[in-house]
Amino acid sequence: MQSTTRTPERTRCCIAGGGPAGLMLGYLLARAGVDVVVLEKHDDFLRDFRGDTIHPSTLTVLNDLGLLDEFLALPHQEITELSGDVYGHIVTIADFTHLPAPRPFMVLIPQWDFLDFIAGKARQWPHFSLRMGAKALGVIEEGGKVIGVNAQTADGSCAVHADLVVAADGRHTTLRGSAGLASDDLAAPIDVLWFRLARDAVRDPSRTGGYMRPGAMLVMLNRDTYWQCAYVIPKGGLDALRSAGLPAFCARVAGIAPFVADALTALTSWDDLKLLSVQIGRMPRWYRDGLLCIGDAAHAMSPVGGVGINLAIQDAVAASNLLAEALRERRLTTDDLAAVQSRREWPARVTQRMQIAVQNEILTPVLAGTTAPVEPPLAVTLLQRLPLLRRLPARLVGIGVRPERVHTQPFQRP
Ligand SMILES: Cc1cc2nc3c(=O)[nH]c(=O)nc-3n(C[C@H](O)[C@H](O)[C@H](O)COP(=O)(O)OP(=O)(O)OC[C@H]3O[C@@H](n4cnc5c(N)ncnc54)[C@H](O)[C@@H]3O)c2cc1C
């Protein structure tokens, strides 16, 4: 690999991270006529373990942008109700059909298809530039202000100077620490083991969703040719599973979902499973002069409710609404960045509180359960007895609190 340092490039906004938050913000700013460079450390979006849910809040944003019909032409599944198998009972937890959204359903789509779609649309705007394989190494500071980002690419190191740097580099953010900003850890008691099973080896292909049994929880996502499976474990519980051995693990999974028993023979080593560490955290302050953190970099989300992607996109919409004009006219102030935190901190807090409640009140007792038959958790029983109650989780998960609409206008048609 060559190692050269080039003359710094200059732009209005440099975004580190081409995930849902970074790409959506890049798209929106470029559409509003702001020069933007997005740095994504990977060479493509074809990575796993990212979450596949696009909620009605995001469908509303796509509708605002005139992209919804084209997006829905991509292969996807539409989910009108969230249901799961809780101790052998099929229960409905959320009913999206009453939501005030252009499409009252949740879309299941591999996240790389969603990101490819947004990147493709963004590239049509002349102000947009996406650098794949460009890893942000840290912020550049001058006189106490963040003025750019140092990055590493296959061609060597480079620097991008910008009026605003946005850290959208996810829960393991590099930029946040490099700028001396901190995050409070709110303790997530779970981790997730992620593995694939061949579609045709699973006996009942109609089975999809979540399976809860005393001591265990399995979620299966249909990815067309294979099942993406998530097995929820108590945080730090992998060592105990490993010492019991892979056959014992497969037997546990087959105990929850007997129809996958044959497919499990494809798991021959622990290397076939990936541990995804779950975090919940929040920055007390999301910004400093010249730098703003959004998405998981500002508030790491647990997978509970599958809301993190959508919350990250809501941050991007709010940031664009509040900052695009000031960036375009080169009059951005630190108060503008504070306004983004004021707008988005409350939704992040409420959503994280909901995730923590589900983790503590439902998941932790379930994972601590014995193999003896037990009743479904009280909250789940109530949702079964009172169908109207299912609108509440649907609203929280599908739209969230303080939903954002796109207020910026296209600056110039692509
Ligand atoms: C196990 C698990 C399952 C989940 N499932 C779901 C789900 O189904 N639905 C849902 O809505 N949410 C889910 N979430 C939460 C969701 O993944 C996050 O909340 C969401 O992805 C946050 O989006 P983001 O754009 O802020 O960050 P990310 O999606 O993490 O994107 C950050 C991007 O930055 C890039 N990057 C990182 N460092 C650098 C660097 N130094 N330089 C350049 N680029 C960099 C990364 O490659 C990545 O592309 C899940 C989380 C976990 C842990």
Side-chain angles (χ1 to χ4, degrees), residues 146-230:
V146 172
I147 59 151
V149 179
N150 280 318
Q152 185 71 39
T153 69
D155 298 329
S157 51
C158 63
V160 183
H161 286 189
D163 294 356
L164 176 66
V165 171
V166 176
D169 51 346
R171 61 191 198 281
H172 303 299
T173 167
T174 305
L175 280 201
R176 184 176 72 204
S178 81
L181 293 172
S183 178
D184 295 329
D185 183 8
L186 303 178
I190 54 165
D191 283 329
V192 176
L193 277 179
W194 206 238
F195 55 93
R196 290 178 177 197
L197 297 177
R199 270 300 295 284
D200 52 10
V202 171
R203 268 185 273 129
D204 183 350
S206 67
R207 303 265 184 169
T208 190
Y211 302 87
M212 209 180 254
R213 294 288 180 274
M217 184 174 168
L218 176 73
V219 176
M220 291 176 62
L221 300 176
N222 176 355
R223 289 251 183 92
D224 198 23
T225 55
Y226 62 94
W227 291 101
Q228 185 63 62
C229 302

Side-chain angles (χ1 to χ4, degrees), residues 188-195 209-220 228-238 241 249 252-253 256 273-278 302-305 355 358-360 362-369:
I190 54 165
D191 283 329
V192 176
L193 277 179
W194 206 238
F195 55 93
Y211 302 87
M212 209 180 254
R213 294 288 180 274
M217 184 174 168
L218 176 73
V219 176
M220 291 176 62
Q228 185 63 62
C229 302
Y231 185 83
V232 184
I233 59 172
K235 192 161 266 309
L238 180 60
L241 282 182
F249 171 77
R252 279 177 83 147
V253 176
I256 306 170
L273 294 97
K274 295 273 182 296
L275 175 70
L276 293 191
S277 140
V278 174
S302 133
V304 168
Q355 293 190 319
V358 171
Q359 285 180 172
N360 295 346
I362 299 182
L363 294 183
T364 301
V366 166
L367 295 183

Side-chain angles (χ1 to χ4, degrees), residues 15 19-29 58 61-62 65 67 114 118 312-314 316-317 320:
I15 300 171
L23 271 188
M24 182 56 86
L25 180 59
Y27 170 83
L28 289 167
L29 290 179
T58 300
V61 168
L62 294 175
L65 294 167
L67 302 177
F114 174 73
I118 300 296
I313 288 169
Q314 296 280 302
V317 174
S320 157

Side-chain angles (χ1 to χ4, degrees), residues 17 20-21 40-42 50-51 53 136 169 171 276 295-296 306-309:
E40 167 52 49
K41 71 177 177 182
H42 290 101
R50 291 182 142 241
T53 54
D169 51 346
R171 61 191 198 281
L276 293 191
D296 267 23
V307 286
I309 296 166

